[in-house]
Amino acid sequence: MSATREGSTVMYALLSADVAGLPRTTRRILTDVIAVRGEPLAEPHEAKTEQPR
């Protein structure tokens, strides 16, 4: 990533197109994991934890 400043504006740019493809690749991998498991992944706040008594 590179950054340039023009006055009070900072503009960022990716140095490699490979980085731009990471979200797509991550989505594909997670979709495959969900398909293999047969159930959606739990959201972190939905994870069951035992409450101390």
Side-chain angles (χ1 to χ4, degrees), residues 1 14-31:
M1 180 166 287
L14 297 174
L15 295 177
S16 170
D18 294 334
V19 176
L22 286 176
R24 185 179 326 115
T25 302
T26 302
R27 187 178 311 114
R28 183 178 47 80
I29 291 168
L30 289 176
T31 300

Side-chain angles (χ1 to χ4, degrees), residues 30-42:
L30 289 176
T31 300
D32 291 347
V33 168
I34 291 168
V36 168
R37 288 183 58 178
E39 61 186 49
L41 297 174

